[in-house]
Amino acid sequence: MADAVPMVEIRRGRFAESVHRGHAVICDASGAIRAAWGDPEAVILPRSSCKMLQALPLVESGAAAGLGTEQLALACASHQGADMHVTRVAHWLSEIGLGERDLRCGAQVPDDRIERGRLRETLEAPCQLHNNCSGKHAGFLTLNRHLGGDSEYVEPDHPVQRAVRAAFEEMTGADSPGFGIDGCAAPNFATTMRGLAWAMARMADPAGLGEARGAAAERLVAAMIAHPLLVAGEGRACSELMAAAGGSVAVKTGAEGVFVAIWPEKGLGLALKIEDGTTRASECAVAALLTRLGAVKAGDPRVLRRMTPPIANRRGMVVGEIAPAPGLWEDGAAL
Amino acid sequence: MADAVPMVEIRRGRFAESVHRGHAVICDASGAIRAAWGDPEAVILPRSSCKMLQALPLVESGAAAGLGTEQLALACASHQGADMHVTRVAHWLSEIGLGERDLRCGAQVPDDRIERGRLRETLEAPCQLHNNCSGKHAGFLTLNRHLGGDSEYVEPDHPVQRAVRAAFEEMTGADSPGFGIDGCAAPNFATTMRGLAWAMARMADPAGLGEARGAAAERLVAAMIAHPLLVAGEGRACSELMAAAGGSVAVKTGAEGVFVAIWPEKGLGLALKIEDGTTRASECAVAALLTRLGAVKAGDPRVLRRMTPPIANRRGMVVGEIAPAPGLWEDGAAL
């Protein structure tokens, strides 16, 4: 078992004062590893990075027949609870005769500054619609209406989650060794780094998935790429990196330092996990890998502000930077 | 060179979904290592963990003759900009005929919720007094009045910083390999893990330091222990761990995952650095080490909420925990 490798350095003066290690795998749809750092067999919880896999049963079952691309993007989203997200999820629920009370994701203080400011001013409590996973849960509820399960759709043995697990295991190519309960109360199934990269490669190149799943994968990836702001939000890494990739790549983060990327035109999938779970490092590393892959242009400010953000002191002087570690970046040669 | 070792795990279900590695050294005043994890020769920036070393010239020069224990505690503090901190630093500066404008630390939004709320309500801008290092800088200005240097006391070749460097190198037992510029614009000198632990052991057992420095070390450690809330603030790890230790240990954190502890009755110093710089891990690890040392009681809630904090989902269900890694904790046997 290979160890996690240094991926990101926090530099101050001439010192690398902190180092983040991680694992990364780039796969094609056959499961062949095109590049790897750390341990491809490391077992991780993909957290929200696998929402497009969790949304496959919704689409391939036919339950999503009436849904548009915005709703599918929201089903794959970790949104920041801005008005554009909350309003659309509320409308979606009302379309299927349900409401906020039917969600089982819990309330969350939204990351969106405007909406958070509005709640603060009005002393209104955040609700389940603000939960970054409310679109995924609206998708679960839509699937549940189709399957006819009971209201507790986040229970691991509920028909919705059984369908999610089956799709997840088929896409990752192996039985899951188990699950943790995610922040939104749904089970989050474990897999290996290679399993997650392979699943993303299959999303990128769904020819071998059969008709229903292949079409579902294509619809979901196209929806993510069409609506980067619905997948995350203003100023967020996923949205900005997707915009920088100009519609060629779907990028999705997960809690605890996870990122995936789906690149249809190359048929490649990428999975990245920072061992210590830190966002500043996962954003830097995924920006570096997308640059090396040529999926985004070197020098694009939307990429650079993730890959080499300056560190300023409280007088505004730049005193350091976050940067890819030599082992991840080397000379930035193309992969 | 030994590698950093796993110190803290983020557990969800039966998975350790993230792992934080680090280095730690426990030293006595002779420089002998009593226990170590990772690499005692790893070079780190101690950041704010070394403020009591930076305050030595202030006290041993005689410049601090008129200062009380509250001011000395503030000189060693990373406070959260609460009213109790800001008011005292402002008063201290006025006593030496200076004011907020003479500080060179920069303004900082205070972490203290009440003060932050007050600024928000009044639309008042945070000022340099709110900077967590304003007490250290008041100490620098007090020393500077004694030394007669110019106003730019944070410049690395200023007499204040030359005195700080000399004290730092004598206490850590080696020339510093250089410095980074800290968040507060002052130079922060690098040392090894062992060097930092040794310096803390000398603070704990200053018999070999000579009269002036020995007395200065004793005054500073006593001041920190007497005023845990001035050293950090309500709800903060340093303050709560010092309270849990019942006046026997001084505990101080630094940015990017650093902690030190000074234990006079045992003559021991502790230095800890989480490689990736994450606070949740440094707080867990230092709480575990203080428990194993017997400096705090196992089961004290002020310690447990740092050592094994639960992780809840957004419905309030506990779905995981942060916990010391087996290599750090084992059976928690006394050190």
Side-chain angles (χ1 to χ4, degrees):
Chain A
M1 194 183 98
D3 223 349
V5 298
M7 286 194 161
V8 173
E9 296 182 353
I10 312 303
R11 297 177 185 154
R12 185 175 292 264
R14 64 179 191 78
F15 299 95
E17 77 165 323
S18 298
V19 175
H20 297 274
R21 302 175 192 234
H23 309 283
V25 176
I26 298 169
C27 245
D28 66 25
S30 77
I33 293 177
R34 298 288 190 89
W37 296 258
D39 182 8
E41 299 307 320
V43 171
I44 67 157
L45 292 173
R47 306 295 298 277
S48 289
S49 75
C50 70
K51 278 175 174 163
M52 72 297 283
L53 305 179
Q54 293 173 300
L56 282 170
L58 166 70
V59 183
E60 65 196 23
S61 67
L67 300 182
T69 59
E70 293 188 351
Q71 289 158 313
L72 294 183
L74 285 165
C76 303
S78 296
H79 64 70
Q80 56 193 8
D83 181 67
M84 67 173 155
H85 307 113
V86 170
T87 305
R88 282 175 173 78
V89 174
H91 185 250
W92 177 359
L93 290 174
S94 74
E95 282 183 326
I96 57 171
L98 299 173
E100 191 265 352
R101 74 194 168 282
D102 297 302
L103 294 170
R104 295 291 181 268
C105 50
Q108 179 181 3
V109 177
D111 283 332
D112 181 73
R113 292 173 64 91
I114 294 169
E115 179 67 0
R116 205 169 62 235
R118 189 186 70 78
L119 295 174
R120 189 185 291 125
E121 282 304 311
T122 59
L123 301 181
E124 190 182 321
C127 70
Q128 297 192 87
L129 295 168
H130 291 103
N131 187 304
N132 79 85
C133 303
S134 68
K136 178 178 79 172
H137 283 248
F140 286 158
L141 282 168
T142 303
L143 174 61
N144 193 34
R145 204 175 59 141
H146 184 82
L147 298 177
D150 68 33
S151 61
E152 303 313 309
Y153 63 87
V154 294
E155 294 300 321
D157 59 354
H158 189 280
V160 165
Q161 300 307 328
R162 288 211 309 269
V164 167
R165 182 171 193 148
F168 183 88
E169 292 182 335
E170 287 157 19
M171 294 295 283
T172 56
D175 288 351
S176 169
F179 62 86
I181 299 298
D182 213 333
C184 70
N188 189 255
F189 299 103
T191 184
T192 60
M193 289 300 303
R194 174 170 171 267
L196 186 59
W198 192 4
M200 295 306 142
R202 284 169 154 156
M203 294 295 292
D205 176 7
L209 295 179
E211 199 171 338
R213 176 158 299 166
E218 273 185 28
R219 271 183 80 191
L220 288 165
V221 173
M224 291 177 71
I225 287 176
H227 304 292
L229 287 176
L230 292 183
V231 171
E234 287 288 352
R236 288 273 302 281
C238 291
S239 303
E240 293 200 344
L241 292 172
M242 281 198 272
S248 65
V249 179
V251 179
K252 184 72 192 70
T253 193
E256 293 291 331
V258 183
F259 263 98
V260 299
I262 298 167
W263 198 1
E265 92 193 32
K266 304 281 183 183
L268 295 178
L270 162 70
L272 165 75
K273 162 79 184 180
I274 297 297
E275 183 185 47
D276 58 70
T278 305
T279 300
R280 69 180 180 185
S282 60
E283 292 188 356
C284 168
V286 77
L289 290 172
L290 291 173
T291 302
R292 283 195 65 185
L293 280 164
V296 295
K297 278 211 189 83
D300 186 314
R302 294 167 292 191
V303 179
L304 288 181
R305 67 171 162 260
R306 308 291 172 181
M307 193 170 95
T308 52
I311 296 173
N313 69 13
R314 297 203 168 85
R315 295 173 71 185
M317 299 152 42
V318 172
V319 294
E321 66 168 0
I322 301 176
L328 188 69
W329 184 247
E330 293 159 8
D331 54 357
L335 283 168
Chain B
M1 193 186 98
D3 224 349
V5 298
M7 286 193 160
V8 174
E9 296 181 352
I10 311 304
R11 297 177 184 155
R12 184 175 293 264
R14 64 179 192 76
F15 299 95
E17 76 165 324
S18 298
V19 175
H20 297 274
R21 301 175 194 235
H23 309 283
V25 176
I26 299 169
C27 245
D28 65 27
S30 77
I33 293 178
R34 298 289 190 88
W37 295 258
D39 183 9
E41 300 306 321
V43 172
I44 66 157
L45 293 172
R47 307 294 298 278
S48 289
S49 75
C50 70
K51 278 175 175 161
M52 72 297 285
L53 305 178
Q54 292 173 301
L56 283 169
L58 166 70
V59 183
E60 67 197 21
S61 67
L67 299 182
T69 59
E70 292 188 351
Q71 288 157 315
L72 295 183
L74 285 164
C76 303
S78 297
H79 64 70
Q80 56 195 9
D83 181 67
M84 66 173 156
H85 307 113
V86 170
T87 306
R88 281 174 173 79
V89 174
H91 186 249
W92 177 359
L93 291 173
S94 75
E95 281 183 329
I96 58 171
L98 298 174
E100 190 266 352
R101 71 193 169 286
D102 298 301
L103 294 170
R104 294 292 181 267
C105 49
Q108 178 181 3
V109 176
D111 282 333
D112 181 73
R113 292 174 63 93
I114 294 169
E115 180 66 359
R116 204 168 62 235
R118 188 186 71 77
L119 295 174
R120 190 185 289 126
E121 282 304 311
T122 59
L123 300 182
E124 190 182 320
C127 72
Q128 297 193 86
L129 295 168
H130 291 104
N131 188 304
N132 79 85
C133 303
S134 67
K136 178 178 80 173
H137 284 247
F140 285 159
L141 283 166
T142 303
L143 174 60
N144 193 33
R145 206 175 57 142
H146 184 83
L147 297 176
D150 69 31
S151 61
E152 304 311 310
Y153 64 86
V154 294
E155 294 300 321
D157 60 353
H158 189 281
V160 165
Q161 300 307 329
R162 288 210 308 268
V164 167
R165 181 172 193 148
F168 183 87
E169 292 181 336
E170 287 156 19
M171 293 294 284
T172 56
D175 289 352
S176 169
F179 61 86
I181 299 299
D182 213 332
C184 69
N188 189 255
F189 299 102
T191 184
T192 60
M193 289 298 304
R194 174 170 171 267
L196 186 59
W198 192 4
M200 295 306 141
R202 284 169 153 156
M203 294 295 293
D205 176 8
L209 295 178
E211 200 173 337
R213 176 156 300 167
E218 273 184 29
R219 272 182 78 191
L220 288 164
V221 173
M224 290 177 71
I225 287 175
H227 304 291
L229 287 176
L230 292 183
V231 171
E234 288 287 351
R236 288 272 302 280
C238 290
S239 303
E240 294 201 343
L241 292 172
M242 281 198 271
S248 65
V249 180
V251 179
K252 184 72 193 72
T253 194
E256 293 291 334
V258 183
F259 263 97
V260 300
I262 299 167
W263 197 1
E265 91 193 32
K266 304 281 183 184
L268 295 177
L270 162 71
L272 164 75
K273 162 77 182 180
I274 296 298
E275 182 185 49
D276 58 70
T278 305
T279 300
R280 69 180 180 184
S282 60
E283 292 188 354
C284 169
V286 76
L289 290 172
L290 290 173
T291 302
R292 285 195 63 184
L293 282 164
V296 295
K297 278 211 189 80
D300 186 314
R302 293 167 294 191
V303 180
L304 288 180
R305 68 171 161 260
R306 307 292 171 181
M307 192 169 95
T308 52
I311 296 173
N313 69 13
R314 296 200 169 87
R315 296 171 72 186
M317 297 151 45
V318 172
V319 295
E321 66 169 358
I322 301 176
L328 187 69
W329 183 247
E330 294 161 5
D331 54 358
L335 283 168

